[in-house]
Amino acid sequence: MELLKTLYNTTGLSMLTWQQFIMIIIALILLYLAIKRGYEPYLLLPISFGMLLVNLPGIPKEGMMESGGLLYYLYQGVKLGIYPPLIFLAIGASTDFGPLIANPKSLLLGAAAQLGIFLAFIGAIMLGLTGREAASIGIIGGADGPTAIYLTTKLAPDLLGPIAVAAYSYMALVPIIQPPIIRLLTTKQERQIKMVQLREVGKNEKILFPIAVTIIVTLLIPSAAPLIGMLMLGNLIKESGVVGNLVEHVRGAMLYCITIVLGTTVGATANAHTFLNVTTLKILALGLFAFAFGTVGGVLFGKIMCKLSGGKVNPMIGAAGVSAVPMAARVVQKVGQEENPGNFLLMHAMGPNVAGVIGSAVAAGGLLIIFK
């Protein structure tokens, strides 16, 4: 019996706390959502597995996030703000800004959809959080995971775990969260509006666009340069047409490798001590509030554009202004076709969608200027 007791005391089971048990259950639920339900699997799967790893007791400290461990060194790319801009580089190489160039007014919808960021920021301040913490929580409303991670590592690194989990969980739940809000704020007649086909955008326009955006945004908000600069560099690589092999590697192998490392290390910051507290509950609640009101802001501004255009703009495309690319645009397309099977809104929704990516990066840059 003494031998069995000694053996048991060397296992992780003897060290398992109830807090760790709860975190393991949360990690398993997130794994289920990623694998079985297909909710944002490329990021939710490594995040949840990192969360599982760090909450299993008995693992030697040098094997996890402490100095000297594998995840500790991999995490430096998050801590130093390296991985999120590289993901933006890959996103840029995968993005077609043509719909935004063809309809520049889409930029206003992308800007309106950032409403949730600032409402959640105010709400966080009212709940007693610091300005830096409130800014990091509010950026969840942009529905842009890399931006949320980038800003949080700069302003409130202790909250990285819960903020990352909240940001990517709500991004994964876009098809569930957005349709009820869209239907609540629009009439059936508005949802059935057909929009005219966008004009064809020339190659020269597509090449000049990332250069112009980089110059303008960096001059106005220098702190947004790491994200906007990498996003536009990736897009310029794609649109230039002279480095085809490079484009394929950037938006393929590089993106997926960085995503695995980023997701696993961010998930590993969500240990029981930092995750199971009242602040985390505030983050989850405010994150949902931010995301929902980002959708509200986009749709309401879409309704304004609908009125001003004499009913030519379907207000639903404003919901795509949250930068969950391309899921938010697909949601608009799906809801539109449910109302009118002949309605094709995907390309119209992609304009606000990619504008939202720019908008969330600009908002993050602005918050960095204020609180850094």
Side-chain angles (χ1 to χ4, degrees):
M1 291 296 294
E2 285 298 321
L3 178 61
L4 291 175
K5 185 177 180 180
T6 301
L7 289 173
Y8 174 75
N9 288 335
T10 63
T11 66
L13 285 171
S14 65
M15 310 172 199
L16 184 66
T17 65
W18 67 267
Q19 294 96 333
Q20 290 171 321
F21 179 75
I22 291 175
M23 291 303 298
I24 290 170
I25 295 299
I26 293 173
L28 292 175
I29 291 172
L30 293 175
L31 281 170
Y32 169 80
L33 292 175
I35 297 170
K36 190 69 176 179
R37 304 303 296 270
Y39 289 164
E40 201 71 24
Y42 286 102
L43 268 163
L44 203 56
L45 195 154
I47 285 176
S48 50
F49 197 80
M51 185 188 298
L52 177 66
L53 276 176
V54 80
N55 287 289
L56 289 171
I59 298 176
K61 285 190 174 183
E62 63 272 11
M64 286 293 102
M65 292 293 284
E66 283 73 12
S67 180
L70 171 64
L71 294 183
Y72 170 82
Y73 288 111
L74 292 177
Y75 180 70
Q76 300 311 301
V78 178
K79 186 177 179 180
L80 298 173
I82 297 171
Y83 297 150
L86 290 179
I87 287 184
F88 261 60
L89 176 68
I91 292 172
S94 308
T95 300
D96 180 9
F97 284 108
L100 177 58
I101 299 170
N103 184 16
K105 294 189 292 294
S106 298
L107 195 62
L108 299 176
L109 292 170
Q114 309 312 309
L115 172 69
I117 294 176
F118 301 101
L119 289 181
F121 169 79
I122 294 170
I125 293 291
M126 293 174 65
L127 289 176
L129 294 162
T130 67
R132 295 165 71 93
E133 293 171 338
S136 300
I137 294 168
I139 204 67
I140 296 173
D144 189 339
T147 301
I149 290 171
Y150 182 79
L151 186 65
T152 304
T153 55
K154 300 291 184 183
L155 298 183
D158 292 343
L159 300 183
L160 181 60
I163 285 178
V165 170
Y168 283 111
S169 296
Y170 294 141
M171 282 176 63
L173 294 173
V174 163
I176 296 173
I177 297 173
Q178 283 200 315
I181 297 174
I182 292 172
R183 293 190 182 97
L184 179 66
L185 297 176
T186 58
T187 65
K188 186 176 183 66
Q189 184 180 7
E190 287 174 332
R191 294 193 294 272
Q192 290 179 333
I193 293 174
K194 286 187 177 183
M195 297 181 66
V196 298
Q197 185 174 353
L198 294 172
R199 71 174 178 85
E200 186 175 347
V201 177
K203 182 177 179 179
N204 288 340
E205 292 177 280
K206 289 187 175 183
I207 291 174
L208 290 172
F209 180 80
I211 298 172
V213 170
T214 301
I215 293 172
I216 294 169
V217 172
T218 303
L219 287 175
L220 294 176
I221 308 176
S223 57
L227 295 177
I228 289 293
M230 289 297 99
L231 178 70
M232 294 303 155
L233 172 59
N235 188 248
L236 184 60
I237 289 172
K238 169 181 176 286
E239 300 299 349
S240 67
V242 294
V243 283
N245 290 334
L246 184 59
V247 174
E248 292 305 316
H249 282 85
V250 167
R251 67 186 183 188
M254 191 186 87
L255 173 61
Y256 295 128
C257 289
I258 295 172
T259 297
I260 290 172
V261 174
L262 174 68
T264 306
T265 52
V266 165
T269 64
N271 58 58
H273 175 71
T274 61
F275 201 90
L276 294 179
N277 52 56
V278 176
T279 301
T280 297
L281 294 177
K282 291 179 182 178
I283 290 170
L284 294 174
L286 286 167
L288 180 58
F289 175 85
F291 185 82
F293 272 87
T295 304
V296 169
V299 174
L300 291 181
F301 198 85
K303 288 173 75 73
I304 293 172
M305 291 182 67
C306 179
K307 294 291 184 184
L308 294 177
S309 67
K312 295 179 181 179
V313 174
N314 189 313
M316 288 196 301
I317 66 171
V322 296
S323 58
V325 180
M327 281 191 299
R330 288 175 179 167
V331 167
V332 172
Q333 167 71 6
K334 184 174 182 292
V335 175
Q337 288 212 311
E338 286 173 356
E339 298 292 344
N340 182 351
N343 210 354
F344 296 96
L345 297 172
L346 183 61
M347 294 309 296
H348 296 284
M350 282 303 298
N353 210 184
V354 296
V357 179
I358 298 173
S360 63
V362 169
L367 291 169
L368 269 177
I369 290 175
I370 297 171
F371 294 106
K372 187 62 177 172

